[in-house]
Amino acid sequence: MAELPIPDLPPARCSGRFTISTLLGMEEGGRGPYTPTEGSSCDSVQPTQLSSSTLCTRTFGYNTVDVVPAYEHYANSKGVGDPRKGRPSLADLHSILKPDPSRLRTPVSDLQHSNGLPEAGPEAGLEEAEGEPGRDSVPEPVRFGWVKGVMIRCMLNIWGVILYLRLPWITAQAGIALTWLIILMSVTVTTITGLSISAISTNGKVKSGGTYFLISRSLGPELGGSIGLIFAFANAVAVAMHTVGFAETVRDLLQEHDSLIVDPTNDIRIIGVITVTVLLGISLAGMEWEAKAQILFFLVILVSFINYLVGTVIPATAEKQAKGFFSYRADIFAQNFVPNWRGPEGSFFGLFSIFFPSATGILAGANISGDLKDPAVAIPKGTLMAIFWTTMSYLVLSATIGACVVRDASGSLNDSVAVGSPGCEGLACSFGWNFTACAQQQSCRYGLSNYYQSMSMVSGFGPLITAGIFGATLSSALACLVSAPKVFQCLCKDQLYPLIGFFGKGYGRNSEPIRGYMLTYVIAVGFILIAELNAIAPIISNFFLCSYALINFSCFHASITNSPGWRPSFRYYSKWAALFGAAVSVVIMFLLTWWAALIAFGIVIFLLGYVLYKKPDVNWGSSMQASSYNMALNYSVGLSEVDEHIKNYRPQCLVLTGPPNFRPALVDFVGTFTKNLSLMLCGNVLIGPRKQKMPESRLMADGHTKWLMKRKIKAFYTDVVAEDLRSGVQMLIQAAGLGKMRPNILVLGYKRNWRTASPQSLEDYVGILHDAFDFKYGVCLMRMKEGLNVSRVLQAHVNPTFEAAEHPENGTGSRAAPGTAVDPTTLASEQQASTVFQSKQGKKTIDIYWLFDDGGLTLLIPYLLGRKKRWGKCKIRVFVGGQINRMDEERKAIVSLLSKFRLGFHEVHILPDINQKPRPEHIKRFDELIAPFRLNDGFKDEATVNEMRQGCPWKISDEEVDKNRAKSLRQVRLNEILRDYSRDAALIAITPPIGRKGRCPSSLYMAWLETLSQDLRPPIILTRGNQENVLTFYCQ
């Protein structure tokens, strides 16, 4: 495709694919595409001599506009149909080449792109900076690999004070076996979450924003935004929690040496504020310094852990034995293997709720996703390795300390006894220690069950355990201090919530969120000064669990929707395991603290509701969109399998609006009774050459759809390109809809200018009505005294795109000004015209003139309209024709029929004077109306009339006037009745006459409609069903 003839030319050099300008130059000026260019990158020979060694960088030596696959063609891709870098458009390949500067693209001559891969280096992912010569050099941002950026960071955040102060106590309570079960249960949840994170983070390029970015781009802005806000807040408060943990440890050391600064409570505040200020300084120094500090903390914790392991193999001194430490003993391991519940927290789930927070922290690496060299590799590998090594450390610690230390010990050296002494109970007796007295009274100060500092006591050098506690608390605080601003910055840039955009600005080569750091610092200091974190700690834990649940649900939801865009390179995940992880995370939330779980859910639902209400203008290709498509597709296919029934009849309307903003009253009328009930499809016929109209069609559709959404009209928009109006409407009637969701009513505006319009347009308009009946559609014509088309007002003040419609009052076609295109933003932002259907109608009447039985459509539409709030107070009156001598019987019959339909119409009027002769002046006006359209053939024979009518089929012969005289006078009389009875109605619905196809000229039929509906102040709806029932009084 798009191959070009190649002239006989000497070998030359080429620098990429042949640009359109080069090809045009060859065609117009005789210059070939092989003209030497500066910066050539490969040799080219004549086409007959092509070989693998003479390929160009952008093609394989083949003279074509097409290009080979390349990375930059897909970089920064957003919506379907967006133009790509470097790739020719379909018009470039398919249409005749024309010198169009707006479509010319600069060829990429970099040899690194010849294989379709991005250039090497840490900046390969920054598509914005590629191929921009002359751009100022930007300093290289700091980027981390999977070890330094994710694994170490996650391990530090997972390890905490629970490792040092609570795990030995949990082992004493639950025993080694159940402690391992608690650890493995906790790790199961975090591992499943880690697998889900790995899958999501490898399904496309991950940018900064961490957890918020992953959830929002998977589930959409509604859930992502709410979780992003509370996750950033939770991290900010977690800074205070970890800092207070550090400050309490320092305060206890000061108390031991009687060196308090002020008092115990204020010392925590002073130390905490100083500590968080130092941590802020490290963070502001840059990610490089923060990473160095984390490595230092990591080494401290490793040294403390090694120090503990060494201490377990050193023979116990008498002082340590008095505190319950006897080195490795099989009988101690056997005794501690089974549980020994004590105290109010002595239960399996009680201990599980205490331990579980120590297994969290797996999101620390993902939260700095923007600072990783390759997040798709680093996040899965680093997170899973961190979970593995921390799990091993927990299991080893539980097993080793459970094999070395007894549950109860007095700590007194005087309790040593000879082995086998009488009166001595307990395991320690066999080691020469009698702890019976304190064990029976439960007053022992030492042992696994009583002494939180057992690790420090067992270790080779106690202060190193204290250093490990310092490292664990400070590293967690620092990780949260970095995570919160990074996540919050991404949320601010997305502008989902008001008043937070100020904090989205980044500084320096790493786009550091300095303002976010300061906000996090203020929040942390505020909670440190409160110094009462026990109440808020459970809420924070639940916020993190909310994130886990949604990450797992994101993975499950993306998998279950079967979207072709869900292609994670990490394959070791299961959608059902992810669903299990999401459910378990929610269960654990309520196990930890049920009231905190309810508060967390309440906050998430509130923030979710706000984003749903605001409906931010973002499109991230979330799995929610894929799910909506799946549901719509399944329901639509399922609907096709169900036979139609009158009870389920719905008026599905094809509304010939043209551009919907041109006829807002028509849109509002149909939108009122179809909203949340049935299908509404706004159709527009673009009249003109297909080549000229097709480029505008898609852009127009976007703009008009946004206009409908802004007006809160639940409708679809579709357009077709046709040579004339009638053929375009025929296309819409036949092709619009999907399966059983197809229009069954054609709604259009009344053609007010039919007397002055071109005769062909008149023929087309009436022909459209005939076509609708041919395709078994019902027809609904709407006429308003002031008209429907507001396009001239829009052209003058708002939107100059459209020229005056060729058929300005028929609600269908539009012609666009040559060389212009519709701007969707302009259409959506234009001032909305107000119509009568948007205002409350009060206690007026809706008058239905059910003159002929069309199946009930004339009754159904006003009934549906009356159910809406704006029309709810209107009284509905039904008028039917009848004979004067049988008025009572006919009224009872109609009332009985209406009651069976359950429409609630109780006011019925019989019109006995329909067939009375109209007033002479009104008859004269009708005759004057049709006079310009009469043939005046003098009742000649049919052959002569057909000859006279040649070329003007709309003309009315004298015989047709005479044959239809009674029908014409009936329309005149009906108009008199309408003006007498319905002068002050809110709406008039009437059954219009039907003109027999081929027997009633279009001008005569329009004269009937004109006469019937003229001089009426209320809107008038001329409704005619397709003679099939739309109402029933049966139950089956």
Side-chain angles (χ1 to χ4, degrees):
M1 194 172 224
E3 296 86 357
L4 297 171
I6 305 177
D8 253 346
L9 292 171
R13 298 176 65 80
C14 67
S15 58
R17 72 172 176 84
F18 306 108
T19 64
I20 296 174
S21 55
T22 306
L23 294 169
L24 288 173
M26 179 192 74
E27 290 176 347
E28 295 171 4
R31 183 166 48 88
Y34 292 98
T35 306
T37 56
E38 191 174 347
S40 301
S41 56
C42 71
D43 292 329
S44 174
V45 294
Q46 295 183 27
T48 53
Q49 300 168 346
L50 289 177
S51 67
S52 59
S53 60
T54 59
L55 303 182
C56 290
T57 60
R58 299 287 284 166
T59 66
F60 37 85
Y62 183 46
N63 188 3
T64 176
V65 180
D66 260 336
V67 296
V68 295
Y71 170 83
E72 65 270 11
H73 300 165
Y74 298 89
N76 274 342
S77 61
K78 293 178 183 177
V80 177
D82 288 353
R84 311 290 185 226
K85 288 184 181 178
R87 182 190 302 153
S89 69
L90 188 60
D92 293 339
L93 301 173
H94 182 251
S95 304
I96 298 174
L97 288 172
K98 293 181 181 179
D100 184 359
S102 64
R103 290 213 303 264
L104 298 183
R105 293 172 171 81
T106 306
V108 181
S109 58
D110 191 346
L111 276 171
Q112 286 180 319
H113 293 250
S114 61
N115 59 358
L117 299 174
E119 59 185 350
E123 286 299 290
L126 300 178
E127 300 90 358
E128 298 86 358
E130 287 181 6
E132 296 185 20
R135 180 169 176 169
D136 295 337
S137 59
V138 180
E140 284 277 320
V142 178
R143 294 285 186 262
F144 303 114
W146 69 273
V147 175
K148 192 174 178 182
V150 181
M151 189 186 79
I152 290 177
R153 192 175 296 275
C154 286
M155 290 178 71
L156 288 172
N157 217 23
I158 293 171
W159 282 329
V161 291
I162 291 177
L163 170 71
Y164 293 98
L165 303 181
R166 289 294 183 271
L167 189 56
W169 175 77
I170 292 173
T171 304
Q173 288 267 4
I176 296 172
L178 291 184
T179 300
W180 275 38
L181 182 60
I182 288 173
I183 294 170
L184 293 175
M185 283 176 59
S186 303
V187 169
T188 299
V189 177
T190 56
T191 302
I192 291 173
T193 308
L195 295 174
S196 298
I197 292 172
S198 302
I200 297 172
S201 62
T202 58
N203 188 51
K205 182 176 173 58
V206 177
K207 298 183 180 178
S208 62
T211 306
Y212 161 70
F213 184 88
L214 296 177
I215 296 177
S216 62
R217 270 53 176 181
S218 295
L219 287 179
E222 295 83 8
L223 281 171
S226 55
I227 283 297
L229 199 58
I230 65 172
F231 187 75
F233 177 75
N235 272 285
V237 179
V239 175
M241 291 177 58
H242 294 302
T243 305
V244 167
F246 168 77
E248 285 179 348
T249 308
V250 175
R251 189 269 317 268
D252 293 343
L253 290 174
L254 293 175
Q255 273 186 321
E256 287 181 16
H257 297 86
D258 294 327
S259 303
L260 287 175
I261 305 171
V262 182
D263 57 65
T265 302
N266 284 319
D267 279 10
I268 293 176
R269 292 170 176 157
I270 294 169
I271 297 167
V273 171
I274 294 173
T275 304
V276 79
T277 305
V278 173
L279 294 178
L280 176 68
I282 295 173
S283 301
L284 293 178
M287 288 298 294
E288 216 166 353
W289 284 96
E290 187 267 348
K292 291 176 181 176
Q294 293 284 32
I295 290 175
L296 176 63
F297 293 140
F298 182 72
L299 293 176
V300 169
I301 292 175
L302 280 184
V303 169
S304 71
F305 198 71
I306 293 170
N307 168 57
Y308 157 75
L309 292 175
V310 170
T312 59
V313 297
I314 296 176
T317 62
E319 186 179 9
K320 287 188 176 184
Q321 288 184 354
K323 294 181 179 180
F325 172 61
F326 297 99
S327 295
Y328 292 105
R329 301 291 177 100
D331 44 0
I332 294 179
F333 181 85
Q335 185 187 55
N336 288 337
F337 191 77
V338 294
N340 181 18
W341 309 112
R342 298 183 187 181
E345 294 171 333
S347 65
F348 181 80
F349 285 109
L351 296 178
F352 176 81
S353 64
I354 291 173
F355 174 78
F356 183 78
S358 69
T360 60
I362 60 172
L363 302 177
N367 286 337
I368 62 161
S369 53
D371 296 300
L372 301 174
K373 289 179 182 177
D374 189 353
V377 173
I379 292 176
K381 200 171 180 181
T383 304
L384 295 175
M385 288 299 291
I387 293 173
F388 174 77
W389 288 117
T390 52
T391 303
M392 294 303 298
S393 67
Y394 284 140
L395 295 174
V396 168
L397 174 62
S398 174
T400 53
I401 204 162
C404 295
V405 184
V406 296
R407 284 192 170 105
D408 294 297
S410 64
S412 172
L413 293 173
N414 298 326
D415 287 340
S416 61
V417 294
V419 176
S421 299
C424 182
E425 298 178 2
L427 188 61
C429 297
S430 60
F431 306 136
W433 293 88
N434 184 6
F435 302 137
T436 307
C438 72
Q440 290 177 345
Q441 298 174 6
Q442 293 190 355
S443 60
C444 297
R445 293 179 55 197
Y446 295 94
L448 281 183
S449 295
N450 309 295
Y451 189 46
Y452 287 156
Q453 304 283 351
S454 294
M455 269 191 75
S456 180
M457 180 263 294
V458 169
S459 65
F461 183 59
L464 281 179
I465 300 297
T466 304
I469 295 174
F470 287 173
T473 53
L474 292 178
S475 63
S476 297
L478 187 57
C480 293
L481 183 60
V482 171
S483 297
K486 296 279 186 184
V487 173
F488 193 57
Q489 181 185 35
C490 186
L491 179 64
C492 294
K493 287 181 177 179
D494 289 338
Q495 298 180 340
L496 300 183
Y497 297 101
L499 308 177
I500 62 173
F502 173 79
F503 298 99
K505 183 175 175 59
Y507 296 87
R509 57 183 179 175
N510 270 50
S511 188
E512 294 290 348
I514 305 297
R515 296 172 180 176
Y517 280 129
M518 299 309 298
L519 178 64
T520 305
Y521 173 76
V522 170
I523 293 173
V525 168
F527 280 98
I528 289 170
L529 294 178
I530 293 173
E532 285 292 334
L533 295 176
N534 290 338
I536 201 167
I539 301 177
I540 302 306
S541 297
N542 277 292
F543 281 172
F544 286 116
L545 278 168
C546 268
S547 305
Y548 288 7
L550 279 177
I551 285 173
N552 284 309
F553 183 73
S554 299
C555 181
F556 165 76
H557 197 262
S559 303
I560 205 72
T561 54
N562 292 323
S563 172
W566 175 249
R567 303 185 302 274
S569 55
F570 182 86
R571 299 291 183 183
Y572 306 104
Y573 72 96
S574 166
K575 60 185 175 185
W576 301 115
L579 180 63
F580 173 76
V584 170
S585 297
V586 174
V587 170
I588 293 174
M589 287 175 66
F590 285 92
L591 282 178
L592 293 180
T593 322
W594 65 268
W595 58 266
L598 291 177
I599 292 174
F601 273 113
I603 295 174
V604 170
I605 291 170
F606 172 77
L607 295 172
L608 170 66
Y610 176 83
V611 180
L612 284 172
Y613 173 75
K614 295 297 289 184
K615 293 182 180 175
D617 186 19
V618 294
N619 182 10
W620 296 324
S622 67
S623 61
M624 288 298 183
Q625 295 173 344
S627 177
S628 299
Y629 177 86
N630 274 2
M631 290 174 63
L633 182 63
N634 291 334
Y635 284 133
S636 298
V637 172
L639 199 60
S640 299
E641 301 171 0
V642 180
D643 292 333
E644 293 179 351
H645 194 282
I646 302 172
K647 284 171 61 178
N648 291 325
Y649 174 86
R650 293 170 186 260
Q652 303 188 114
C653 300
L654 171 59
V655 192
L656 300 184
T657 58
N661 59 324
F662 279 15
R663 295 172 182 85
L666 192 63
V667 171
D668 290 339
F669 163 66
V670 181
T672 301
F673 69 81
T674 59
K675 187 175 184 179
N676 299 326
L677 177 83
S678 59
L679 174 70
M680 176 181 173
L681 205 155
C682 295
N684 182 18
V685 179
L686 299 174
I687 302 169
R690 185 165 58 91
K691 187 181 295 184
Q692 177 187 342
K693 295 296 179 180
M694 283 302 293
E696 302 167 12
S697 176
R698 181 168 182 175
L699 189 59
M700 287 180 67
D702 292 340
H704 293 310
T705 301
K706 289 179 180 178
W707 184 89
L708 288 168
M709 287 190 294
K710 184 178 179 182
R711 203 171 180 87
K712 297 182 179 178
I713 299 293
K714 294 189 175 181
F716 298 98
Y717 170 84
T718 186
D719 53 36
V720 294
V721 178
E723 295 298 329
D724 60 79
L725 175 65
R726 186 175 180 183
S727 60
V729 175
Q730 288 172 344
M731 294 179 199
L732 287 172
I733 289 175
Q734 294 178 82
L738 182 69
K740 291 292 176 68
M741 295 188 65
R742 299 178 64 87
N744 50 30
I745 299 174
L746 182 70
V747 184
L748 66 165
Y750 176 72
K751 188 173 179 63
R752 294 175 70 205
N753 68 336
W754 65 275
R755 282 170 289 179
T756 57
S758 65
Q760 186 57 48
S761 69
L762 176 61
E763 279 287 295
D764 284 349
Y765 184 78
V766 177
I768 287 170
L769 303 182
H770 289 309
D771 294 336
F773 290 130
D774 286 342
F775 289 108
K776 306 222 59 165
Y777 271 58
V779 170
C780 183
L781 291 173
M782 180 178 177
R783 182 174 186 179
M784 295 181 68
K785 186 176 182 181
E786 62 274 18
L788 293 173
N789 196 331
V790 298
S791 59
R792 289 178 181 169
V793 179
L794 291 175
Q795 289 164 16
H797 297 95
V798 181
N799 183 10
T801 302
F802 292 102
E803 294 178 350
E806 183 184 14
H807 308 279
E809 287 303 332
N810 61 17
T812 52
S814 69
R815 291 183 180 273
T820 63
V822 182
D823 181 8
T825 308
T826 304
L827 263 179
S829 62
E830 73 179 23
Q831 185 177 358
Q832 297 277 344
S834 178
T835 69
V836 65
F837 297 98
Q838 292 180 315
S839 57
K840 290 186 177 180
Q841 299 302 312
K843 296 183 178 181
K844 297 180 181 179
T845 62
I846 298 176
D847 291 348
I848 304 173
Y849 289 82
W850 196 25
L851 304 178
F852 305 101
D853 191 354
D854 61 346
L857 187 63
T858 307
L859 294 174
L860 182 61
I861 290 179
Y863 165 74
L864 296 174
L865 202 64
R867 295 201 308 181
K868 301 302 179 181
K869 188 176 180 180
R870 290 170 182 161
W871 296 79
K873 293 184 179 180
C874 290
K875 183 171 63 174
I876 298 181
R877 304 188 298 177
V878 179
F879 297 84
V880 294
Q883 298 178 14
I884 194 166
N885 57 344
R886 299 182 65 246
M887 285 181 61
D888 288 340
E889 293 87 345
E890 290 179 353
R891 184 180 180 282
K892 287 179 182 177
I894 293 298
V895 169
S896 173
L897 179 61
L898 293 177
S899 66
K900 286 182 171 61
F901 287 146
R902 306 172 308 281
L903 296 173
F905 301 163
H906 302 296
E907 188 170 341
V908 177
H909 298 270
I910 305 298
L911 303 173
D913 52 354
I914 290 181
N915 292 322
Q916 286 183 5
K917 191 173 182 179
R919 280 178 258 179
E921 62 269 23
H922 295 156
I923 297 174
K924 182 182 178 183
R925 184 165 68 169
F926 176 78
D927 291 335
E928 291 173 351
L929 182 65
I930 65 173
F933 301 95
R934 295 189 61 167
L935 268 176
N936 297 315
D937 56 295
F939 295 94
K940 291 184 171 60
D941 60 88
E942 188 174 349
T944 308
V945 170
N946 288 337
E947 188 177 344
M948 293 177 65
R949 192 182 272 167
Q950 192 77 25
C952 49
W954 57 87
K955 291 284 189 176
I956 313 168
S957 69
D958 292 345
E959 185 180 359
E960 288 166 339
V961 172
D962 187 57
K963 281 184 178 179
N964 293 290
R965 189 65 178 172
K967 197 169 187 178
S968 300
L969 293 180
R970 188 185 306 126
Q971 312 313 316
V972 179
R973 177 60 188 150
L974 282 173
N975 180 255
E976 292 176 350
I977 293 172
L978 293 178
R979 285 190 285 172
D980 289 341
Y981 288 93
S982 303
R983 188 182 304 274
D984 298 320
L987 182 74
I988 300 172
I990 187 170
T991 313
I994 290 184
R996 194 170 294 277
K997 188 167 59 172
R999 295 294 180 183
C1000 178
S1002 57
S1003 55
L1004 179 60
Y1005 184 68
M1006 289 304 299
W1008 289 346
L1009 299 183
E1010 176 72 27
T1011 301
L1012 178 63
S1013 60
Q1014 67 186 353
D1015 299 333
L1016 293 171
R1017 186 196 60 78
I1020 181 167
I1021 310 299
L1022 299 117
T1023 307
R1024 189 81 195 207
N1026 63 359
Q1027 301 304 112
E1028 294 182 359
N1029 289 350
V1030 300
L1031 297 173
T1032 181
F1033 42 76
Y1034 293 110
C1035 292
Q1036 61 181 14

